[in-house]
Amino acid sequence: MSLPEDATTRLWWLAVERAAGWRVGADRLIEAGLAALLDGVDCQSLRLLAGLGRSEELEAASLFERTLEELGVATAVPADADQALWAMARCWASRIVDGRLDPLEGADLILWHVYVPLDGPEELHAITEGAIDRDPSRTVPPEQKRTNTIRAAERFLGKRSPDPSGP
C-alpha cells in the first residue's frame, strides 16, 4: 500500500488505518516511532514508543495515541471508520493527481479499500473505473484509463489547493 512520505504523515496514516478498523500491530507502531525519531521528529512519548521491546508491546497503542497528542496530529485523525476511509480516498486521490501514485494502482486501492467497504459511493465511481472493466465489451487502453483516473481524482478532490492527505 502506498504510504505518505514524511514521518508525521506516516504516523497520521497509521492512526487513520486504526480509525478505519484495520489491524495495526504493535510492531508497525514501534517501527513508525523509530522511523519518526530517525527523521528528526521528537517528543517524550515517541521516544518511549520507539524504545519498546517485544515484552512491552502491549504499551504500544497507548504510547502511539499519546505521541499523536504530543505532536498535535490527533486532531487530524478521523473520528470514525467511514471518515477514515474517506480520508484514505482523499490521500490516494491526491497522490494520483500529483503523480506520486500510479493512477491504476491508486484506483485499485480506492476500489478495494474504500469504495467496496463504503458500498460504492457515487463520488468514487469514476475513479474506480480505472481499476476494473465494468463493461468487458469496451476496451480502453491503459494510458486512457490512467488519464481518466487522474481527471476523476481531480474532480473528486475539487482541485482543492491544500493537500487533503494529512496533517
Side-chain angles (χ1 to χ4, degrees), residues 5-8 10-11 31-44 46-47 50 67 71:
E5 290 81 19
D6 83 2
T8 303
R10 282 192 306 266
L11 294 170
E31 182 181 309
L34 182 56
L37 273 178
L38 293 173
D39 283 351
V41 178
D42 191 20
C43 69
Q44 180 62 33
L46 181 62
R47 283 184 248 133
T67 295
L71 294 175

Side-chain angles (χ1 to χ4, degrees), residues 110-128:
I110 291 169
L111 173 67
W112 297 111
H113 295 293
V114 180
Y115 186 82
V116 170
L118 289 176
D119 295 323
E122 184 60 35
E123 298 91 336
L124 298 175
H125 181 81
I127 295 173
T128 62

Side-chain angles (χ1 to χ4, degrees), residues 1 9 12 23 45 68 84 90-91 95 99 113 123 130 132 135 144 163:
M1 203 158 318
T9 306
W12 170 82
R23 186 190 174 295
S45 294
L68 296 176
R90 286 189 303 276
C91 184
R95 281 158 172 63
H113 295 293
E123 298 91 336
I132 191 166
D135 182 358
Q144 184 61 48
D163 182 6

Side-chain angles (χ1 to χ4, degrees), residues 37-165:
L37 273 178
L38 293 173
D39 283 351
V41 178
D42 191 20
C43 69
Q44 180 62 33
S45 294
L46 181 62
R47 283 184 248 133
L48 294 172
L49 175 64
L52 288 178
R54 283 203 119 358
S55 64
E56 302 167 305
E57 285 184 346
L58 293 176
E59 299 175 46
S62 63
L63 283 171
F64 179 74
E65 295 299 325
R66 289 197 334 232
T67 295
L68 296 176
E69 289 289 334
E70 290 174 26
L71 294 175
V73 175
T75 57
V77 176
D80 64 39
D82 285 357
Q83 289 177 11
L85 294 173
W86 283 106
M88 289 176 169
R90 286 189 303 276
C91 184
W92 285 322
S94 176
R95 281 158 172 63
I96 289 169
V97 169
D98 68 20
R100 290 183 285 166
L101 179 61
D102 176 79
L104 300 184
E105 180 184 338
D108 192 57
L109 289 167
I110 291 169
L111 173 67
W112 297 111
H113 295 293
V114 180
Y115 186 82
V116 170
L118 289 176
D119 295 323
E122 184 60 35
E123 298 91 336
L124 298 175
H125 181 81
I127 295 173
T128 62
E129 283 185 329
I132 191 166
D133 285 326
R134 290 188 174 89
D135 182 358
S137 67
R138 187 181 85 162
T139 303
V140 180
E143 275 315 306
Q144 184 61 48
K145 283 185 185 180
R146 283 184 173 83
T147 299
N148 294 348
T149 301
I150 292 167
R151 288 184 184 143
E154 288 171 341
R155 285 191 304 275
F156 169 67
L157 294 171
K159 297 184 183 175
R160 296 181 229 188
S161 50
D163 182 6
S165 61

